[in-house]
Amino acid sequence: MRVSKRLLLAGAAAALAARRTLTPRYALSGKSVLITGGSRGLGLALAREFAARGARLTLVARTSSDLDTAAAELRGQGTEVATVTADLTKREEVERAVQAAMTAHGALDVVVHSAGMIQTGPLQDMTEDDWREVMEINAFAALRLVRAAYPHLKAAGGRVLLVTSIGGKVAVPHLGPYSMSKFAAVGLGAALRAELGLDGIGVTTVCPGLMQTGSPKHALVKGQHEKEYAWFATIDNLPLVSMPAPAAARGMVDALVRGDAEAMIGVPAAVARYAQALAPQLVADAMALTNRFLPGPTGNPQARRGADAESEVTRSNPIKRAAEQGFNQE
């Protein structure tokens, strides 16, 4: 039995080494890459990383002014950039974005689903519509994108990069709808990789931990708005726990280039994943204990944007302020 286990482990190690050696790296120079949510935050960091590797870009987002600003920056560095203002909850607008990439660049080699939304608040203050809304953006929009791009990706032997979250591996209190949508997105990525490989399409699902992207200001906050936003914005920017956006983007693009099926981005994400796999009861108990220290429900389903839930506590928070200043200077 011991010999068999050793042989099994040796075989697995050899297979992994062979994969690293024999699987060709995906060259991005000259490739046409469509990025949803590409106008700011992580999406823009990904656009910068793809541009640095010689890709031609199509950025998709809801706000045209943000797209114009992002495109101007990238074009100033010599990158070919097309922009599309679109609502990813509508199939016809996703299809229009894909066609725009084809029109602008004559091909579509890579699609990246980075667009997403975050809601934070107690379960009791979340409505069913909240759960459906976040599922539309974080999970169904990714499916729409891949379905719309499928013929072009098949013709190109292209790639798909799905940006999910460690929240798709470990459910975090006060992020219930977000966690459900990210669990769904992780499952979608696994299903797409299993089936689209026959068509020569590679699918990589990345699960980052906390990142310094400025996202708390755009999150929808429920419950005790100021207290809820305070804990969320602080933990999202903690040093050592939260990654700078450029480092996260670099890790994600590296995973795509390698052809990884799934990649944890950042050490905390990897630790959380293995803790969940090896000690699920312990992780569940830790999350339940964490919930005891979070602001309680109010019975009021009204939501505020994070930027509108700022208080003197968060405005003067040195951790949050330093992280935001660093992100704005990137």
Side-chain angles (χ1 to χ4, degrees):
M1 181 63 71
R2 289 180 180 176
V3 174
S4 297
K5 286 183 178 179
R6 288 175 181 173
L7 288 173
L8 183 61
L9 290 172
L16 180 60
R19 179 189 178 279
R20 294 295 187 193
T21 303
L22 299 176
T23 301
R25 294 172 68 85
Y26 188 73
L28 288 170
S29 181
K31 293 295 195 297
S32 169
V33 180
L34 183 154
I35 305 173
T36 66
S39 64
R40 56 179 168 83
L42 176 63
L44 179 54
L46 284 165
R48 291 168 177 153
E49 185 65 28
F50 278 107
R53 303 189 192 208
R56 298 171 293 157
L57 305 178
T58 301
L59 306 183
V60 184
R62 291 176 296 179
T63 307
S64 58
S65 59
D66 289 344
L67 282 169
D68 292 342
T69 301
E73 174 200 321
L74 294 163
R75 287 173 184 147
Q77 299 168 1
T79 303
E80 292 183 39
V81 184
T83 62
V84 183
T85 304
D87 180 351
L88 298 176
T89 66
K90 298 179 180 179
R91 177 180 55 80
E92 62 274 14
E93 296 201 19
V94 175
E95 293 173 349
R96 178 170 57 82
V98 167
Q99 188 55 50
M102 290 296 298
T103 300
H105 304 301
L108 182 55
D109 302 290
V110 179
V111 295
V112 180
H113 184 61
S114 177
M117 69 176 299
I118 301 177
Q119 303 157 325
T120 178
L123 183 70
Q124 296 91 331
D125 291 333
M126 296 291 182
T127 67
E128 185 173 325
D129 286 342
D130 292 328
W131 297 75
R132 292 184 182 278
E133 183 180 20
V134 75
M135 282 290 293
E136 282 290 332
I137 296 296
N138 293 356
F140 282 109
L143 176 61
R144 292 186 194 98
L145 176 63
V146 175
R147 287 172 65 90
Y150 169 75
H152 311 299
L153 295 175
K154 182 178 180 181
R159 296 291 184 270
V160 175
L161 178 64
L162 296 185
V163 179
T164 64
S165 169
I166 189 57
K169 295 288 185 178
V170 179
V172 179
H174 286 219
L175 291 171
Y178 178 80
S179 287
M180 183 178 79
S181 70
K182 293 301 185 178
F183 268 79
V186 169
L188 173 64
L192 291 174
R193 182 170 179 103
E195 298 204 32
L196 297 186
L198 286 175
D199 296 315
I201 302 171
V203 179
T204 296
T205 302
V206 291
C207 302
L210 295 170
M211 295 175 289
Q212 296 162 18
T213 62
S215 61
K217 285 192 172 184
H218 302 282
L220 292 179
V221 181
K222 289 199 165 189
Q224 300 181 51
H225 298 109
E226 293 183 356
K227 291 182 179 180
E228 194 71 37
Y229 178 71
W231 83 261
F232 181 63
T234 299
I235 196 170
D236 195 63
N237 293 299
L238 281 176
L240 303 179
V241 175
S242 182
M243 287 185 74
R250 187 163 52 252
M252 293 175 190
V253 177
D254 283 345
L256 174 76
V257 167
R258 289 192 303 265
D260 294 353
E262 185 178 277
M264 300 297 113
I265 306 299
V267 173
V271 170
R273 175 199 186 183
Y274 288 114
Q276 173 67 26
L278 297 173
Q281 184 66 51
L282 179 63
V283 172
D285 290 346
M287 292 299 103
L289 178 61
T290 299
N291 188 54
R292 291 178 176 271
F293 295 96
L294 298 180
T298 63
N300 180 4
Q302 181 182 6
R304 290 186 194 171
R305 286 178 65 250
D308 299 325
E310 288 269 19
S311 64
E312 188 56 38
V313 172
T314 51
R315 279 190 289 269
S316 61
N317 186 323
I319 294 174
K320 173 178 169 291
R321 190 169 63 249
E324 287 179 349
Q325 287 174 349
F327 175 72
N328 291 333
Q329 292 170 2
E330 289 161 6

